[in-house]
Amino acid sequence: MNKLTQLATVAALVTAAGVLPCVAQAQVIKIDGSSTVFPITEGVAEDFQKMKKGAIKVTVGISGTGGGFKKFCRDETDISGASRPILTKEIADCKAAGVEYFELPVAFDALTVVINPKNTFLKQITVAELKTMWEPAAQGKVMTWDQVNPAWPKAPIKLFGAGADSGTFDYFTEAINGKAKASRGDFTASEDDNVLVTGVANDVNALGYFGYAYYAENTAKLKAVPIVEKAGKPGVLPSEQTVIDGSYQPLARPIFIYVNAKSLAKPEVKEFVEYYMKAGPKIAKEVKYVPLPPKAYITNLEHLAKGKKGTVFGGVAEVGVTIEALQAREAK
């Protein structure tokens, strides 16, 4: 018996035993989007796959909120992670492709401004100083720390921030510069927050921003900067408490998953989303985000059951939404 015949015989025996069809039937749930939401979704996906003993495969990508919505609105993914609400153009793209969706808030994030631990002069930073540093007009002009605040040294500023496809980029620029996507372009940008962590950790003159989970994982390498919302107010550090009490502004924000309504008709997607609402709060806390109150996850499940599709944000990435305000809006 030659080699090919042997292989064919083995394949026939395996098929007869029912092994290959079992492997082939592993159902796949496709998720992409925000790197900020990724730690929660990845944690939920790992636990869910273990529970299902490999019968369902969950893939989780990190092409950024904007990149994720591009795929989602082309009907290429089942679920999209988002660190800001869906925007007007994305709503139109989804509508054009016949993609209906459920908007499910899953946690709150404290978008964190970080510096190198060897930086000894930056004790806090105002929103106005961040704007001076990050606004489009700063490009090629505001290059040293003393240009932002004369009390700071004449040393080069090395900036690290989210890439243009990131919801974190949209939110930060809206909150700090007053307009989403309005930013200087001469900084190190990445959708992968670990690249930004490494950049700030390796440069004493660096400043960067990203989701709180990536700071919490790297407190030995990074220092969080207290944010002063308005001159005269004290600086506030990001934490669970300052997010809950609403004092960490304007960089506290809700984060979401969006579920394709057509995908939700598949039993495996429905089961995964329901599992996410139950396991998500615990995993969100584990990865250092702020879980929503229990009622919020019940409301999400009620919206799924009642078929309440669409967004409550009207296509705008709002700044300064508190947990309380979000709950009131979702409950309507």
Side-chain angles (χ1 to χ4, degrees), residues 249-331:
Q249 289 294 348
L251 296 179
R253 56 180 178 159
I255 56 179
F256 308 84
I257 59 168
Y258 285 76
V259 182
N260 183 317
K262 194 169 65 181
S263 296
L264 195 70
K266 295 186 246 180
E268 66 274 18
V269 175
K270 183 173 185 285
E271 189 181 358
F272 175 77
V273 173
E274 286 171 354
Y275 181 79
Y276 200 126
M277 292 307 110
K278 293 182 181 83
K282 179 173 173 284
I283 290 170
K285 199 173 177 71
E286 281 171 8
V287 298
K288 308 300 183 192
Y289 290 126
V290 180
L292 300 171
K295 178 77 175 74
Y297 301 98
I298 295 165
T299 300
N300 283 344
L301 290 169
E302 285 170 356
H303 288 176
L304 294 173
K306 292 173 184 171
K308 187 187 172 189
K309 292 173 279 201
T311 174
V312 298
F313 287 88
V316 179
E318 291 177 44
V319 168
V321 176
T322 62
I323 290 177
E324 203 175 345
L326 176 70
Q327 279 195 281
R329 192 176 297 189
E330 289 287 347

Side-chain angles (χ1 to χ4, degrees), residues 170-184:
D170 294 345
Y171 190 91
F172 183 85
T173 48
E174 178 95 37
I176 300 302
N177 296 333
K179 188 182 176 189
K181 297 194 184 296
S183 172
R184 68 188 299 164

Side-chain angles (χ1 to χ4, degrees), residues 51-103:
M51 185 180 80
K52 299 309 288 182
K53 297 186 168 67
I56 299 172
K57 186 169 189 260
V58 185
T59 63
V60 189
I62 49 165
S63 56
T65 297
F69 274 133
K70 282 180 188 132
K71 294 179 184 180
F72 185 74
C73 293
R74 290 197 297 257
D75 204 9
E76 292 172 11
T77 53
D78 301 301
I79 296 168
S80 210
S83 61
R84 56 150 173 82
I86 191 167
L87 301 178
T88 304
K89 184 184 183 307
E90 293 157 348
I91 292 170
D93 290 345
C94 274
K95 191 173 181 184
V99 174
E100 295 184 301
Y101 51 84
F102 293 90
E103 175 183 80

Side-chain angles (χ1 to χ4, degrees), residues 115-256:
I115 52 174
N116 187 286
K118 289 180 182 163
N119 181 320
T120 54
F121 66 85
L122 196 64
K123 308 298 183 197
Q124 59 181 31
I125 195 162
T126 67
V127 170
E129 285 165 344
L130 282 169
K131 184 171 189 283
T132 300
M133 198 181 281
W134 282 99
E135 65 187 344
Q139 182 162 331
K141 292 177 183 167
V142 178
M143 308 301 285
T144 57
W145 285 96
D146 64 320
Q147 288 176 282
V148 181
N149 183 327
W152 296 343
K154 190 178 179 63
I157 298 174
K158 299 289 179 66
L159 295 174
F160 295 83
D165 258 350
S166 167
T168 297
F169 177 74
D170 294 345
Y171 190 91
F172 183 85
T173 48
E174 178 95 37
I176 300 302
N177 296 333
K179 188 182 176 189
K181 297 194 184 296
S183 172
R184 68 188 299 164
D186 54 344
F187 67 97
T188 301
S190 179
E191 264 77 40
D192 184 346
D193 295 311
N194 291 306
V195 171
L196 308 177
V197 167
T198 303
V200 177
N202 289 341
D203 194 321
V204 68
N205 290 310
L207 177 140
Y209 66 87
F210 36 75
Y212 185 79
Y214 291 89
Y215 161 68
E217 260 185 10
N218 296 283
T219 51
K221 301 181 193 173
L222 303 168
K223 188 157 73 173
V225 185
I227 305 297
V228 180
E229 188 184 5
K230 289 178 184 151
K233 278 187 160 190
V236 179
L237 276 167
S239 71
E240 181 175 356
Q241 188 50 48
T242 59
V243 170
I244 289 169
D245 67 23
S247 63
Y248 188 69
Q249 289 294 348
L251 296 179
R253 56 180 178 159
I255 56 179
F256 308 84

